[in-house]
């Protein structure tokens, strides 16, 4: 169980915002479980992390090879932990165990009593399973250092050196409530900090945004901060939207306020630092147009109409994770030529990923899949690119330019006889050497 996770929707916005940042040092206030730290490290930034919780301090120990002196003061937990062998994850998992147990520690009813006994009786298996999960890449990123101090002091101290990013607590004494049981069970040298009151956020955030380059998330819409408001994310029914305030790239806008009737897609997208190799397994699936609409809001221009995904949605996956999406319109197609209404890829460090998608779009495998779903065996594929430029670099060399009109280009291609695997190998040999950002 991890606390302090950046919502997936916010991660997508942050990836796009940060990809054009010139400064290569980032200061993360309130690192939590280091979701944001890992994301920006994957984008090539030198990351300076910060938090005041023991939980985050122990994660930093794993990343930096440091060690925090911690004593277990709860005798029941100490007896459980004595059965655990020494690993680099032991102290962290001890805290995670206590955090999980805190949900049932009061034993206010039969359910909590049962869960408490069941959880404590399986302490060893919890430890072994958690260590196994953590070893599978949870900490496969680097940070430069960790500041165990107040996040406001931390962000103010950088003084223009880099970009600050922070998602402060959303309610007063948030840390204290989450980690109350942890504080009762462990003794360690605490960080010095002031309890943050979100009611003062408007004034504090304004100072951070006025005086330096910072990106601040908040679950509150602060009217006096609207000059810095660049994004709004509705992250689910019953959850408060997240607002993004930024003093960098203030010309960008990310207002993702999805209809509450649109459900989140089941597909998990590819990690930004995923590396394509000869062993990568490329697969494809038909998907509802609602999935296309869902991801369009994250990965396509905010000038694009997200109201329709066409008649057929296609998702391409690498080792089971989505990296590219296509949609087709039957109404805009002819007997011989199918119209591709949209194509887009996820944010990635991999260069020419969009080129891979449009190469796969004209494969024999996709042609057969479309034929089964659309009831017609098309010989060609075409699309419209909205641009004032003379050519589209994405389609250039892969598709043919059919027509050039004011503000748009028409591209098309014959379907090929090559399979997904053949096209992927061709792309890998031609573009992989330039695929690092």
């Amino acid at each position: 169980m991890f606390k302090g996770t950046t919502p997936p929707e916010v991660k997508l916005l942050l990836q796009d915002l940060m990809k054009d940042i010139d400064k290569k040092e980032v200061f993360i206030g309130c690192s939590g479980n280091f979701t944001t730290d890992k994301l920006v490290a994957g984008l090539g930034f030198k990351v300076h992390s910060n938090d005041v919780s023991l939980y985050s301090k122990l994660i930093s120990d794993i990343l930096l090879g440091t060690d925090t002196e911690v004593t277990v003061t709860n005798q029941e937990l100490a007896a459980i932990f004595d059965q655990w062998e020494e690993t680099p994850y032991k102290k962290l998992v001890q805290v995670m165990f206590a955090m999980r147990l805190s949900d049932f520690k009061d034993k206010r009813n039969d359910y909590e009593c049962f869960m408490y006994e069941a959880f404590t009786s399986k302490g060893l298996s919890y430890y072994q399973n958690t260590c196994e999960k953590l070893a599978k890449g949870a900490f496969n990123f680097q940070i430069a250092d960790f500041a165990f101090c107040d996040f406001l002091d931390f962000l103010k101290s950088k003084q223009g050196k880099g970009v600050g990013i922070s998602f402060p607590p959303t309610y007063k004494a948030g840390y204290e409530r989450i980690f109350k049981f942890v504080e009762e069970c462990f003794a360690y040298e605490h960080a010095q900090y002031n309890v943050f009151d979100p009611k003062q956020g408007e004034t504090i955030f304004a100072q951070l945004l006025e005086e330096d380059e910072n990106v601040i998330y908040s679950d509150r819409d602060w009217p006096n901060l609207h000059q810095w408001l660049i994004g709004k994310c509705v992250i689910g029914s019953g959850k408060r939207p997240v607002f993004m305030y930024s003093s960098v790239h203030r010309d960008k806008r990310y207002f993702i306020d999805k209809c509450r009737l649109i459900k989140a897609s089941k597909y998990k997208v590819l990690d930004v630092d995923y590396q394509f190799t000869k062993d990568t397994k490329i697969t494809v699936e038909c998907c509802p147009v609602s999935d296309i609409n869902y991801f369009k809001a994250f990965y396509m221009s905010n000038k694009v109409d997200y109201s329709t995904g066409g008649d057929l949605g296609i998702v391409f996956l690498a080792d089971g994770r989505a990296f590219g999406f296509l949609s087709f319109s039957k109404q805009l197609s002819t007997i011989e030529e199918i119209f591709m209404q949209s194509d887009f890829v996820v944010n990635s460090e991999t260069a020419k990923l969009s080129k891979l998608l449009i190469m796969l779009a004209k494969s024999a495998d996709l042609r057969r899949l479309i034929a089964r779903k659309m009831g017609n065996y098309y010989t060609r594929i075409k699309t419209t690119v909205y641009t004032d430029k003379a050519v589209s670099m994405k389609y250039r060399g892969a598709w043919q330019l059919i027509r050039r009109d004011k503000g748009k280009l028409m591209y098309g291609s014959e379907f090929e006889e090559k399979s997904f695997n053949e096209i992927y190998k061709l792309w890998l040999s031609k573009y992989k050497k330039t695929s690092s950002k």
Side-chain angles (χ1 to χ4, degrees):
M1 179 186 68
F2 282 91
K3 300 283 186 179
T5 299
T6 302
E9 294 85 355
V10 177
K11 287 173 60 179
L12 294 171
L13 302 192
L14 187 60
Q15 286 175 357
D16 191 74
L17 178 69
M18 296 299 294
K19 68 183 182 182
D20 297 321
I21 297 290
D22 293 329
K23 292 183 178 180
K24 286 303 177 183
E25 292 195 64
V26 175
F27 296 75
I28 313 293
C30 307
S31 289
N33 77 343
F34 290 72
T35 310
T36 300
D37 308 60
K38 183 174 184 178
L39 186 152
V40 296
L43 292 172
F45 292 95
K46 182 178 181 180
V47 177
H48 306 274
S49 303
N50 152 263
D51 214 305
V52 297
S53 72
L54 175 61
Y55 172 71
S56 298
K57 179 66 172 70
L58 295 176
I59 293 178
S60 76
D61 284 345
I62 296 172
L63 293 169
L64 297 170
T66 53
D67 185 50
T68 298
E69 185 174 338
V70 180
T71 302
V72 183
T73 56
N74 181 297
Q75 296 306 307
E76 183 178 12
L77 292 186
I80 294 173
F81 299 157
D82 284 344
Q83 302 175 43
W84 297 2
E85 65 179 348
E86 292 296 327
T87 72
Y89 310 117
K90 185 173 182 179
K91 291 180 181 178
L92 173 62
V93 181
Q94 287 176 343
V95 171
M96 292 170 64
F97 186 88
M99 290 164 65
R100 186 71 180 90
L101 193 62
S102 67
D103 294 336
F104 321 115
K105 68 178 180 63
D106 293 330
K107 303 179 184 180
R108 292 167 294 190
N109 50 51
D110 290 343
Y111 170 75
E112 289 190 357
C113 290
F114 172 80
M115 291 300 295
Y116 185 93
E117 296 302 324
F119 200 70
T120 53
S121 67
K122 297 183 181 298
L124 182 58
S125 61
Y126 173 87
Y127 178 60
Q128 294 170 338
N129 293 336
T130 305
C131 286
E132 184 178 344
K133 291 177 182 178
L134 295 177
K136 290 181 178 179
F139 305 117
N140 60 348
F141 64 101
Q142 293 183 332
I143 61 172
D145 46 51
F146 180 82
F148 198 36
C149 65
D150 188 287
F151 84 96
L152 290 174
D153 294 338
F154 173 70
L155 291 179
K156 290 177 181 179
S157 67
K158 69 185 181 70
Q159 298 180 334
K161 188 177 180 181
V163 175
I165 302 173
S166 186
F167 195 171
T170 58
Y171 52 90
K172 189 174 182 179
Y175 277 132
E176 290 72 20
R177 297 181 194 181
I178 292 174
F179 296 104
K180 183 176 184 297
F181 186 59
V182 170
E183 295 300 304
E184 296 171 356
C185 297
F186 299 92
Y188 64 99
E189 185 175 349
H190 292 68
Q192 297 297 314
Y193 68 97
N194 297 312
V195 176
F196 176 70
D197 186 352
K199 291 181 180 179
Q200 302 172 350
E202 191 169 38
T203 301
I204 294 171
F205 298 160
Q207 182 182 10
L208 290 173
L209 294 165
E210 283 176 350
E211 297 179 355
D212 208 344
E213 290 188 308
N214 288 296
V215 179
I216 307 291
Y217 314 146
S218 175
D219 64 356
R220 303 191 185 197
D221 182 8
W222 301 106
N224 291 337
L225 298 184
H226 277 192
Q227 61 178 304
W228 294 288
L229 180 63
I230 67 166
K232 175 184 177 182
C233 260
V234 175
I235 59 177
S237 179
K239 298 180 180 179
R240 299 176 70 171
V242 175
F243 299 88
M244 180 184 287
Y245 303 94
S246 173
S247 51
V248 295
H249 284 319
R250 291 167 61 181
D251 57 321
K252 293 199 172 188
R253 293 293 182 272
Y254 306 96
F255 292 97
I256 301 177
D257 195 356
K258 301 184 294 297
C259 172
R260 293 184 181 274
L261 297 178
I262 297 179
K263 296 182 179 179
S265 173
K266 69 175 183 179
Y267 291 103
K268 303 298 184 183
V269 300
L270 207 65
D271 289 339
V272 67
D273 57 351
Y274 175 87
Q275 296 295 312
F276 286 84
T277 70
K278 62 181 179 60
D279 296 320
T280 297
K281 184 179 180 181
I282 303 294
T283 55
V284 65
E285 295 179 11
C286 292
C287 67
V289 294
S290 59
D291 284 310
I292 303 298
N293 291 337
Y294 178 79
F295 285 109
K296 269 185 177 181
F298 298 129
Y299 298 115
M300 294 190 73
S301 166
N302 56 11
K303 298 178 182 179
V304 177
D305 178 9
Y306 302 148
S307 61
T308 176
D311 301 302
L312 174 65
I314 298 290
V315 56
F316 281 92
L317 306 103
D319 292 334
R321 292 237 172 189
F323 70 87
F325 300 85
L326 307 175
S327 66
F328 297 91
S329 170
K330 195 169 187 177
Q331 183 179 0
L332 298 176
S333 302
T334 65
I335 294 296
E336 295 186 351
E337 199 168 45
I338 188 169
F339 184 78
M340 188 170 73
Q341 190 163 331
S342 61
D343 65 282
F344 55 95
V345 296
V346 304
N347 293 327
S348 174
E349 290 181 18
T350 300
K352 308 297 183 181
L353 186 57
S354 58
K355 183 79 76 175
L356 171 61
L357 182 64
I358 63 169
M359 290 171 66
L360 292 170
K362 59 182 184 177
S363 66
D365 288 339
L366 188 62
R367 183 189 187 189
R368 286 191 290 269
L369 180 59
I370 291 173
R372 289 197 299 271
K373 294 296 181 179
M374 303 284 271
N376 188 53
Y377 205 63
Y378 298 98
T379 59
R380 286 183 56 83
I381 182 172
K382 66 177 179 180
T383 194
T384 299
V385 180
Y386 292 94
T387 179
D388 292 324
K389 296 180 180 179
V391 296
S392 167
M393 296 308 295
K394 180 170 73 173
Y395 288 92
R396 184 180 180 183
W399 292 32
Q400 296 81 46
L401 178 61
I402 300 173
R403 193 172 71 247
R404 184 181 289 115
D405 297 330
K406 183 178 180 180
K408 64 181 180 180
L409 307 171
M410 180 69 74
Y411 276 88
S413 175
E414 298 282 342
F415 278 104
E416 298 182 351
E417 295 303 318
K418 295 185 178 70
S419 67
F420 291 145
N421 287 336
E422 290 172 323
I423 289 177
Y424 175 66
K425 290 178 181 177
L426 176 64
W427 173 85
L428 201 63
S429 63
K430 189 172 183 180
Y431 297 112
K432 183 62 171 70
K433 59 185 177 182
T434 61
S435 65
S436 59
K437 190 172 179 180

